[in-house]
């Protein structure tokens, strides 16, 4: 997962020659929806779906001041039933809500006060690829939250039925440190395809939603 403090080339590039990412914007009020849509519409990688419905291959950008039960329910439906990817743009999240968001399948979160056009596009691109993109402070809170849950539950459960291999743990540890696929490949002397295959194997075997969910699982189970 990459935090907002990362630097380097703009990651908002199409995922393939001539490809564009279909995006549906949902917001708690029409002004927020219009503002987010206006910021995204101008970028060549975005195919803004004005009146369409989210579905497989679509990224749903959800804008709200705060997290509530209705928004959590909506995110679960988008990811689990509709097959969409989701980006959450929110004003605040309580620490107790972080795992709920990750377990809904949301791996990209943007603070509303940081929601520039470039930041929104980067989150959309990350979500479309199944990558995580969390603000740096939120990533730290997520790790602390899962670590606390793991410590309080230590000794009360046995080994998981489907564990992680040493290679999978190595990859997820680097994901949790904010490295992208290429950086992980360089650190471990793997090809980028191998790293992607490892992450795909983890998420498929353990029925996890994305990289952020896989890191949360590894932290909860005490692997990292």
């Amino acid at each position: 997962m990459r935090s907002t403090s990362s630097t380097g080339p703009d990651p908002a590039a199409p995922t393939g020659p001539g490809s564009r990412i279909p995006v549906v914007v949902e917001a708690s009020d029409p002004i927020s929806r219009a503002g987010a849509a206006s910021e995204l519409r101008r970028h060549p990688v975005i195919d803004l779906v004005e009146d369409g419905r989210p579905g497989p291959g679509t990224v749903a950008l959800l804008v709200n001041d705060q997290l509530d039960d209705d928004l959590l329910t909506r995110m679960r439906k988008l990811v689990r039933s509709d097959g969409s990817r989701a980006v959450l743009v929110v004003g605040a999240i309580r620490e107790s809500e972080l795992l709920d968001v990750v377990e809904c399948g949301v791996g990209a979160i943007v603070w509303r006060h940081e929601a520039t056009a470039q930041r929104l596009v980067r989150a959309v691109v990350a979500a479309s690829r199944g990558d995580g993109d969390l603000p740096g402070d939120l990533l730290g809170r997520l790790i602390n939250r899962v670590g606390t849950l793991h410590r309080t539950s230590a000794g009360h459960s046995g080994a998981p039925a489907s564990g992680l291999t040493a290679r999978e743990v190595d990859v997820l540890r680097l994901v949790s440190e904010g490295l992208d696929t290429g950086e992980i490949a360089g650190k471990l002397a793997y090809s980028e395809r191998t790293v992607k295959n490892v992450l795909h194997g983890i998420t498929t075997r353990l029925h996890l939603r994305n990289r952020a969910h896989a890191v949360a699982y590894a932290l909860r189970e005490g692997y990292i």
Side-chain angles (χ1 to χ4, degrees):
M1 287 175 290
R2 182 170 294 279
S3 74
T4 57
S5 61
S6 59
T7 59
D10 182 359
T15 54
S19 65
R20 299 174 71 198
I21 303 168
V23 177
V24 174
V25 177
E26 299 185 8
S28 56
D29 63 90
I31 293 177
S32 294
R33 184 189 182 283
S38 176
E39 294 288 358
L40 292 172
R41 186 180 291 112
R42 296 177 294 205
H43 200 286
V45 76
I46 301 298
D47 179 15
L48 193 64
V49 183
E50 297 286 359
D51 298 310
R53 297 177 58 186
T58 301
V59 175
L61 186 87
L62 300 106
V63 185
N64 211 324
D65 285 327
Q66 60 186 4
L67 197 64
D68 55 30
D69 290 341
D70 289 342
L71 184 55
L72 282 171
T73 299
R74 179 59 178 153
M75 289 189 294
R76 288 191 187 97
K77 181 180 184 302
L78 283 167
V79 176
R80 299 180 184 181
S81 300
D82 298 340
S84 300
R85 305 284 189 176
V87 174
L88 176 61
V89 182
V90 68
I93 297 178
R94 293 189 297 269
E95 190 168 306
S96 59
E97 298 169 330
L98 289 177
L99 288 182
D100 290 333
V101 173
V102 171
E103 289 173 352
C104 282
V106 178
I109 300 174
V110 179
W111 293 129
R112 287 197 67 157
H113 68 273
E114 296 178 348
T116 62
Q118 182 179 12
R119 182 70 188 88
L120 291 176
V121 171
R122 195 182 83 189
V124 166
V125 171
S128 73
R129 294 172 175 167
D131 293 343
D133 189 355
L134 304 181
D137 60 326
L138 197 56
L139 178 58
R141 286 164 56 191
L142 175 62
I143 292 172
N144 289 338
R145 177 67 179 170
V146 179
T148 299
L149 290 175
H150 174 69
R151 287 191 296 273
T152 57
S153 63
H156 296 287
S157 61
S162 296
L164 297 174
T165 67
R167 182 168 71 169
E168 290 171 338
V169 172
D170 288 341
V171 170
L172 285 179
R173 182 177 292 112
L174 294 176
V175 172
S176 74
E177 292 174 1
L179 276 65
D180 62 22
T181 302
E183 292 167 335
I184 294 170
K187 285 275 189 181
L188 299 178
Y190 296 156
S191 69
E192 290 192 30
R193 180 179 296 275
T194 295
V195 174
K196 291 177 181 178
N197 287 341
V198 169
L199 290 167
H200 178 73
I202 296 168
T203 55
T204 301
R205 187 178 75 253
L206 300 177
H207 307 290
L208 303 171
R209 300 295 172 184
N210 48 41
R211 295 185 182 196
H213 196 184
V215 169
Y217 168 86
L219 285 163
R220 188 195 298 275
E221 297 297 334
Y223 286 101
I224 59 178

